[in-house]
């Protein structure tokens, strides 16, 4: 019996679903499969160290509760996919198989359409996200649309995008925060650093990058310069690699290897660092991150296959004397910078802060390897690969 192209596409899409569903199939096959699924879930949960700035330790555990639920889901998804046009199936398959690395158009479907799975009704975007990305997803409030999506910022469109890679999962910060990642707020204040490692900049000035202190890169900004909203510097341990990258567009992809990538390509930078760890981490950056300036602040979306770590003055309580390093898992987004909070923290009447550049307009991001009191690396300058994002506060 010959299969139509549509049937082949539907079968390929079902085989490309998120691992959560496949683990449940193994669990249904017998006790050994169940033990394997539990072990894998526990391994994922322990990967966050038992506590972190944004811990989705439950991710992957929601899955499909039984073989019966798996069969129900399969019937539902096959029926839904078979209603799509062949071109839509091809575009959805391209998005799923490339894990969001390829530029794919929106999959526009009726906004009011709901599908029942078990005792719950799910909108189509959420259902496809559960199938192809996050089986434990439970509510629409847990996801955020990316700015590349046609449905972004639209309140009640007749059609809504159901491309699962046009959404990210929201990173929830722990409350109260874990104690192991706390940093003194004193590190926000730039100080003289005679024991630091100097790095020359394009302006001829020297940055101070000492253990535990932020580099003073924001001095590169010319007063009144509004041509860019941020500048990005890429570092390998204590050495900055390549030129500063000035950002004018609302969204920037920062990556090592990204199909159809357009933005700040770290893979094209010539690194003189021969450390095996640095080279290994560089190769794991992959799709990297997406940095987006939105109405409510600057968001970071982790597009890679490994966690990233972020430290920002505006992520924490303004009254706190501590800063946290937040862990962001693959597929998650976090509002890394809030302009209003940054201006309120600037304290213009404070003589010490007026006389020196305010590093509250700087965000630090490390790839794969974190830093802090629960790691062997106490300071970000010991991380193999990391970024410094300096925001224009003019």
């Amino acid at each position: 019996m010959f299969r139509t192209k549509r049937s082949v596409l539907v079968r390929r899409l079902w085989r490309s679903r998120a691992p959560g569903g496949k683990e449940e199939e193994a669990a249904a096959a017998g006790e050994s499969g169940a033990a394997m699924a539990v072990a894998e879930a526990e391994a994922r949960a322990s990967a966050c160290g038992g506590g972190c700035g944004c811990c989705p330790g439950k991710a992957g555990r929601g899955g499909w509760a039984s073989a019966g639920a798996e069969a129900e889901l399969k019937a539902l998804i096959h029926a839904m996919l078979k209603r799509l046009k062949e071109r839509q199936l091809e575009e959805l398959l391209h998005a799923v198989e490339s894990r969001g690395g390829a530029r794919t158009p929106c999959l526009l479907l009726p906004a009011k359409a709901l599908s029942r799975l078990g005792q719950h009704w799910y909108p189509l975007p959420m259902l496809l996200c559960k199938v192809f990305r996050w089986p434990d997803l439970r509510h629409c409030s847990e996801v955020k649309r990316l700015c590349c999506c046609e449905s972004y910022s639209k309140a009640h469109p007749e059609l809504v995008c159901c491309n699962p890679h046009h959404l990210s999962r929201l990173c929830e910060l722990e409350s109260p925060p874990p104690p192991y990642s706390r940093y003194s707020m004193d590190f926000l204040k730039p100080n003289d650093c005679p024991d630091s490692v100097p790095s020359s900049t394009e302006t001829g000035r020297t940055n101070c990058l000492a253990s535990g202190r932020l580099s003073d890169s924001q001095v590169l900004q010319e007063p009144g310069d509004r041509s860019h909203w941020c500048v990005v510097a890429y570092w390998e341990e204590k050495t900055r690699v390549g030129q500063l990258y000035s950002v004018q567009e609302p969204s920037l992809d920062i990556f090592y290897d990204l199909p159809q990538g357009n933005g700040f390509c770290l893979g094209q930078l010539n690194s003189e660092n021969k450390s095996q760890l640095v080279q290994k981490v560089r190769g794991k950056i992959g799709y990297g991150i997406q940095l987006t300036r939105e109405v409510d602040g600057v968001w970071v979306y982790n597009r890679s296959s490994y966690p990233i770590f972020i430290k920002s003055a505006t992520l924490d309580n303004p009254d706190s004397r501590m800063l946290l390093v937040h862990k962001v898992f693959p597929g998650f987004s976090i509002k890394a910078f809030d302009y209003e909070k940054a201006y309120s923290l600037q304290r213009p009447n404070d003589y010490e802060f007026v006389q020196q550049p305010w590093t509250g307009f700087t965000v630090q991001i490390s790839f794969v390897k974190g830093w802090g009191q629960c790691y062997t690396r106490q300071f970000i300058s010991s991380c193999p690969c990391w970024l410094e994002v300096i925001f224009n506060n003019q």
Side-chain angles (χ1 to χ4, degrees), residues 347-356:
R347 308 180 205 173
N349 296 324
D350 190 318
Y351 176 80
E352 181 179 0
F353 282 81
V354 170
Q355 296 302 309
Q356 302 186 75

Side-chain angles (χ1 to χ4, degrees), residues 47-124:
C48 67
C52 54
C54 60
C55 178
K58 300 184 290 297
R61 292 187 178 186
W64 320 117
S66 66
E70 179 83 3
E72 180 187 1
L73 176 72
K74 182 175 181 179
L76 175 64
I77 293 302
H78 275 65
M80 193 264 297
L81 292 177
K82 287 179 179 179
R83 294 198 298 268
L84 300 182
K85 298 177 181 179
E86 187 175 295
R87 176 183 54 81
Q88 291 177 315
L89 289 171
E90 290 176 336
E91 292 169 348
L92 177 59
L93 182 63
H94 192 198
V96 171
E97 290 187 339
S98 69
R99 295 181 295 110
R103 295 195 192 100
T104 51
C106 290
L107 176 62
L108 297 175
L109 299 175
K112 296 182 180 180
L114 298 175
S115 297
R116 182 175 179 176
L117 181 62
Q119 302 298 318
H120 303 282
W121 289 88
Y122 296 107
L124 292 182

